Amino acid sequence: MSSMKLGIQSRHLANLGEVFQPKEQPPLISCQRYLNEAVVKRKADTFHVFVVRIHECTLRGKQYRVIVDGHHNYAAAKRLGVEPTFSGPGNKFLRILGKMTPRQQEAFMINNVTDCDHYYVETGEIVAELEAPMVVK
């Protein structure tokens, strides 16, 4: 009988371990490479918290975290060797997405680039599967 209890406890503890394991984050991507060096320097010199707004979404079947605002904050945080504070997108962005179907949202995120193709923020490598525009029918 005690072996049954241990089995139940072991399975229970294994499940708790899964709950408390940090979930691996989807890759962080962006479509803005331009940074004003003076802005990055000013923020690094004066800010203590570096807020970066991201939108978590699925694009062409893969999960991503897309930087939608805070590129200069991200660069300043990395320059200082601190982790930025990630938050969700602003209300205006969410209102715009809320007027679209899921397929339109996906096309919007893929097609509306700032100054370059989508790239992995940590490596600078282009996200090849997001290069081609997405057509919504």
Side-chain angles (χ1 to χ4, degrees), residues 18-135:
E18 291 172 13
V19 169
F20 291 114
Q21 281 290 355
K23 187 176 134 186
E24 187 175 322
Q25 294 289 328
L28 185 63
I29 65 172
S30 175
C31 61
Q32 177 183 324
R33 287 194 191 263
Y34 171 77
L35 292 172
N36 181 318
E37 183 56 35
V39 172
V40 174
K41 182 180 180 339
R42 179 182 56 78
K43 289 181 180 227
D45 290 345
T46 60
F47 285 21
H48 298 288
V49 176
F50 302 92
V51 177
V52 178
R53 292 185 178 271
I54 60 170
H55 176 60
E56 292 194 27
C57 56
T58 302
L59 305 175
R60 295 197 168 132
K62 187 172 176 186
Q63 285 287 117
Y64 295 98
R65 294 177 304 143
V66 182
I67 297 179
V68 294
D69 190 28
H71 290 82
H72 289 85
N73 285 350
Y74 185 87
K78 289 302 175 182
R79 176 171 294 175
L80 295 175
V82 300
E83 213 35 50
T85 300
F86 293 104
S87 70
N91 290 333
K92 180 178 178 182
F93 182 87
L94 293 174
R95 269 195 315 276
I96 291 167
L97 284 185
K99 295 176 182 177
M100 300 178 196
T101 67
R103 185 150 171 83
Q104 289 170 328
Q105 289 177 24
E106 181 180 22
F108 175 79
M109 295 302 297
I110 292 172
N111 297 341
N112 291 290
V113 296
T114 302
D115 65 13
C116 65
D117 289 327
H118 289 89
Y119 67 95
Y120 295 102
V121 173
E122 295 301 319
T123 66
E125 178 186 354
I126 296 293
V127 183
E129 59 268 19
L130 300 182
E131 283 186 285
M134 182 176 168
V135 178

Side-chain angles (χ1 to χ4, degrees), residues 7-24:
I8 291 170
Q9 288 174 343
S10 297
R11 187 174 51 224
H12 178 70
L13 291 175
N15 290 342
L16 278 178
E18 291 172 13
V19 169
F20 291 114
Q21 281 290 355
K23 187 176 134 186
E24 187 175 322

